[in-house]
């Protein structure tokens, strides 16, 4: 029986990765070398409650404080000054996330975000204002860069909480947001590489959550998987050259094609009066089906803020986070007495539970939670240490001292680690 498109597509785009590494655990560097957790659901976890270092007694909370995903680091200083001088908590958080939304170099958010499968950028965002207990959200918005601000406009200027698609875009234009082309040349070329590489397989078909999902196996014809993998990467390098992706950016582009990112930014801000707000914004999962909404615009998944308790937000695998209502779960966990770190870890464990701890699936997803309690205690937790060796997940924090801290991960290892790759020519 041949290896049909349908067989391959069943595994979603991630199957492209699995095809190279998933069926041969011995060749996965995470299973054979540094990170035994990747193939063994009984493997030791990085996290232990006993080392809950972000518990309030351990990190002496200070107010005001802003926490965010690390792609907001560059914008924290001015947002913190704004917050300290009496600025509203939601406006401070929005100041942070607007930075990456405006930045064409950040291909996970706003202008220059990686597009859907048709090459069109579609953005999602939501916000919650703790003091007034209000929320706003937009999903699948095209042509408008600052969707986090559109979410705030929905909150302030409508009787609704969520607008999607064309209606959300028309609302944004009515509110004075300019329409603009969000697809940069950088993102267009990565999309083109994805399009050409995946001309035979895409996001259609049952995904990783389907019970019958298996990492697909390419016929190795006697050759080791690592050799097939190298061939695959070389082929992509050749395509990348034809598409005019500069040599120094080719490996990053190939990584994005093989591991479609769902990069996002979340930010929560707490002022000296104990007022707290949060927001999350994203271009969503790269190369998604048009109309796909991830977790970021879902109140309770991508972001949740309760003035009585705290705020939480997420970056990572949106589909997984929606199923555990991650941000809401975390805030409720804190309401019932868990520390920020324990609360976040519990949400991660719910994702693990949804897959019965099956590492053949869990290693193809990742999730980071950013948690802030109203007393200033905070935590950054993630399923894996990072996407690739040397790039750990980080939470950026400003409480008078600006810093980025590595998240505490549930599992040791990296969710999107390459198997051995050939040197670039
Ligand atoms: N977490 C962003 C997304 O999945 O869309």
């Amino acid at each position: 029986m041949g290896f049909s498109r349908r067989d391959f597509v069943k595994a979603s785009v991630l199957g492209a990765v699995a095809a190279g590494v998933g069926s041969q655990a011995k060749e996965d560097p995470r299973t054979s070398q540094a990170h035994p957790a990747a193939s063994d659901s009984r493997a030791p976890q990085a996290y232990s409650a006993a080392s809950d270092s972000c518990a309030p007694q351990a990190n002496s909370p200070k107010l005001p404080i802003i926490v965010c995903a690390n792609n907001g680091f560059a914008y924290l200083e001015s947002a913190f000054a704004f917050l300290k001088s009496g600025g509203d908590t939601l406006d401070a958080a929005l100041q942070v996330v607007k930075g990456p939304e405006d930045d064409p170099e950040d291909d996970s958010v706003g202008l220059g975000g990686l597009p859907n499968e048709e090459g069109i950028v579609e953005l999602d965002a939501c916000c919650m204002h703790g003091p007034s207990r209000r929320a706003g959200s937009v999903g699948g918005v095209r042509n408008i860069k600052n969707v986090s601000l559109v979410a705030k406009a929905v909150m302030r200027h409508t009787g609704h909480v969520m607008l999607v698609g064309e209606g959300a875009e028309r609302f944004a234009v009515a509110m004075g947001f300019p329409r603009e082309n969000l697809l940069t040349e950088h993102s267009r070329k990565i999309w083109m590489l994805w399009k050409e590489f995946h001309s035979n397989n895409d996001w259609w078909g049952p995904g990783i959550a389907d019970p019958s999902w298996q990492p697909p196996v390419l016929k190795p014809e006697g050759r080791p998987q690592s050799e097939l993998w190298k061939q695959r990467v070389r082929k992509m390098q050749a395509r990348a050259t034809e598409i005019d992706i500069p040599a120094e950016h080719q490996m990053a582009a190939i990584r994005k094609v093989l591991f479609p990112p769902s990069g996002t930014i979340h930010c929560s801000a707490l002022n000296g009066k104990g007022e707290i707000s949060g927001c999350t914004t994203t271009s969503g999962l790269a190369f998604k089906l048009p109309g796909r909404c991830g977790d970021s615009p879902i109140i309770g998944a991508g972001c949740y803020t309760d003035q009585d308790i705290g705020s939480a937000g997420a970056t990572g695998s949106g589909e997984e986070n929606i199923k555990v209502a991650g941000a809401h779960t975390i805030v409720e966990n804190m309401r019932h007495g868990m520390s920020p770190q324990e609360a976040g870890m519990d949400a991660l464990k719910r994702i693990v539970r949804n897959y019965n701890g099956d590492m053949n699936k869990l290693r193809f997803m990742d999730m980071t939670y950013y948690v802030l309690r109203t007393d200033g205690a905070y935590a950054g937790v993630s399923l894996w240490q990072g996407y690739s060796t040397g790039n750990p997940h980080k939470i950026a924090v400003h409480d008078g001292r600006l810093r980025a801290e590595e998240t505490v991960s549930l599992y040791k290892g990296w969710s999107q680690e390459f198997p051995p790759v050939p040197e670039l020519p």
Side-chain angles (χ1 to χ4, degrees), residues 124 262 264 282 284-285 292 294-296 315-318:
D124 301 332
S262 53
T264 300
T282 188
L285 181 62
R292 176 261 188 192
D295 58 329
S296 302
T315 61
S317 307

Side-chain angles (χ1 to χ4, degrees), residues 276-307:
I276 192 165
S277 295
C279 59
T280 301
T281 180
T282 188
S283 52
L285 181 62
F287 324 124
K288 61 195 172 186
L289 271 64
R292 176 261 188 192
C293 270
D295 58 329
S296 302
I298 308 296
I299 303 289
C303 179
Y304 192 74
T305 305
D306 184 322
Q307 182 53 53

